[in-house]
Amino acid sequence: MATIVATENLSKRYGKRTVVEDLNLYIPEGEIYGFLGPNGSGKSTTMKMLLSLVQPSSGGVEIMGKPMDRSTRREHLGRIGSLIESPPGYGHLTGRENMRIIQRLLGLNDQQIEFAIATVRMQGQMDKKVRNYSLGMKQRLGIAMALAREPKLLILDEPTNGLDPAGIEEMRELLRTLADGGVTVMVSSHLLGEIDKSATMLGILSQGRMIFQGTRDELFSAATPDVLIRCDDPSRASELLANSADCRVDQGEVRVTELSERATAGIIAALVSERIAIYEVRRDEQTLEQVFMGLTEGGGL
Ligand SMILES: Nc1ncnc2c1ncn2[C@@H]1O[C@H](COP(=O)(O)OP(=O)(O)OP(=O)(O)O)[C@@H](O)[C@H]1O
Ligand SMILES: [Mg+2]
């Protein structure tokens, strides 16, 4: 599988402050790469460096196997669509007029324009002025503008920002449609759970550093979810385990943290020998936020 984006020790400093540090980002072709991290963690700065809108302080960017620099920038940008920070488009013009500007600017044909509009499902909205669009419609028009050139790579910075749950779900669906159409998509969000379900690969930033990069399954396999025990006497069970495990009573169940499989077998045997009746033992479902908190508390991977 070809690599669409690769960075080598990519860093950005503003004065003495390092805002992006030694990033080795890797996006294989065809993936939806969810680029996640809290506010200020360096997502937009990284995306701007990928697009050569911000000059790296050190390290480099390769797009489709070729370095991104002044001499290759034009060629690369012809094959990358992007939406950075607020959606583009002139408010006093209609959606169609905005698309026509893009068409002339890039020398595109009518089919490319119509295809982009249809992909974001905006056919019925093209004669309205952009200032009368909802935020979700503005984001979709922005994506159509980025998509019309038939890019190999789409870089979308927080396209779900400010959208309601229905708008977010539509955006997730659109990302999947784009990926099915063969476009590699990099999409950022400061809300960890917002795009992780449609992403096929995740990169998680914390304070300018990549603390995880890989699939969702790989991320969750690095974490140890709590064990929940439902039994006839949770208080006594919790007291019995207090010396050997980190546990507490939580909503009528015993919650034990950081327990390996072997240790789980051990505590169940101990409870049974103390005649505690065990009705159910299960691992808690973890959210991406919990896994993230676990990673950052431990100083990252
Ligand atoms: N031009 C600049 N000059 C100085 N500092 C900057 C500049 N641009 C960004 N920063 C700082 O770099 C850090 C990372 O900013 P960036 O916008 O990349 O984060 P982000 O992850 O996109 O955050 P958000 O989720 O809020 O969009 C922030 O602390 C920001 O204040
Ligand atoms: Mg940002």
Side-chain angles (χ1 to χ4, degrees):
M1 195 56 92
T3 302
I4 298 290
V5 180
T7 70
E8 200 192 342
N9 296 333
L10 187 67
S11 303
K12 182 68 191 175
R13 287 176 285 278
Y14 285 112
K16 284 193 179 146
R17 239 185 109 217
T18 302
V19 298
V20 173
E21 195 169 0
D22 289 336
L23 230 56
N24 293 304
L25 201 138
Y26 164 75
I27 310 181
E29 186 171 9
E31 303 277 345
I32 302 178
Y33 186 97
F35 194 39
L36 307 176
N39 291 127
S41 55
K43 305 178 295 296
S44 297
T45 304
T46 302
M47 287 174 145
K48 286 178 195 163
M49 287 196 282
L50 298 183
L51 292 163
S52 196
L53 296 170
V54 160
Q55 199 58 32
S57 304
S58 57
V61 174
E62 262 192 16
I63 306 279
M64 293 165 231
K66 268 194 194 171
M68 170 66 114
D69 55 37
R70 283 210 187 93
S71 66
T72 56
R73 186 171 184 269
R74 257 186 98 82
E75 181 195 340
H76 278 318
L77 292 187
R79 294 193 287 173
I80 307 175
S82 64
L83 184 62
I84 299 289
E85 284 162 1
S86 54
Y90 296 107
H92 64 286
L93 300 180
T94 65
R96 186 162 298 286
E97 287 163 342
N98 272 290
M99 289 303 287
R100 218 166 272 146
I101 292 175
I102 291 288
Q103 181 171 14
R104 279 203 214 107
L105 215 60
L106 300 173
L108 306 175
N109 61 42
D110 290 348
Q111 285 95 314
Q112 287 173 302
I113 296 294
E114 292 313 315
F115 177 76
I117 295 170
T119 304
V120 300
R121 290 194 279 132
M122 284 285 282
Q123 299 97 317
Q125 314 291 345
M126 296 311 287
D127 296 324
K128 278 190 199 154
K129 288 211 162 84
V130 168
R131 67 165 170 248
N132 297 328
Y133 277 2
S134 69
L135 182 59
M137 285 156 66
K138 281 183 191 154
Q139 300 278 39
R140 293 202 332 248
L141 179 70
I143 293 177
M145 290 165 82
L147 203 58
R149 71 190 70 187
E150 297 183 57
K152 291 278 288 176
L153 170 68
L154 256 184
I155 295 184
L156 307 176
D157 193 10
E158 308 248 8
T160 50
N161 216 0
L163 297 188
D164 61 17
I168 291 168
E169 188 46 47
E170 273 177 27
M171 188 59 71
R172 285 198 196 113
E173 235 168 73
L174 175 56
L175 296 180
R176 285 188 284 261
T177 307
L178 295 171
D180 289 346
V183 187
T184 303
V185 184
M186 178 186 199
V187 52
S188 73
S189 179
H190 66 282
L191 297 172
L192 297 179
E194 204 155 87
I195 46 170
D196 77 293
K197 289 184 207 84
S198 43
T200 51
M201 196 173 165
L202 299 172
I204 303 184
L205 271 193
S206 173
Q207 297 177 23
R209 290 185 144 267
M210 187 82 86
I211 58 168
F212 174 82
Q213 183 169 238
T215 64
R216 204 168 183 280
D217 285 348
E218 281 164 357
L219 175 64
F220 279 78
S221 73
T224 314
D226 292 357
V227 169
L228 294 171
I229 304 167
R230 201 159 63 78
C231 61
D232 63 344
D233 193 345
S235 315
R236 194 163 80 86
S238 180
E239 276 165 30
L240 286 168
L241 298 179
N243 285 333
S244 51
D246 182 3
C247 66
R248 64 192 155 92
V249 179
D250 180 13
Q251 297 183 23
E253 297 182 317
V254 182
R255 175 180 287 274
V256 196
T257 52
E258 287 295 320
L259 205 59
S260 67
E261 289 192 338
R262 183 180 287 270
T264 305
I267 65 161
I268 293 168
L271 292 177
V272 169
S273 74
E274 291 290 336
R275 297 184 179 280
I276 299 275
I278 295 175
Y279 306 138
E280 186 182 5
V281 179
R282 64 183 195 283
R283 293 270 176 188
D284 196 9
E285 291 241 340
Q286 280 200 306
T287 63
L288 194 57
E289 277 83 355
Q290 287 167 325
V291 177
F292 176 77
M293 292 309 286
L295 288 179
T296 47
E297 275 163 24
L301 286 178

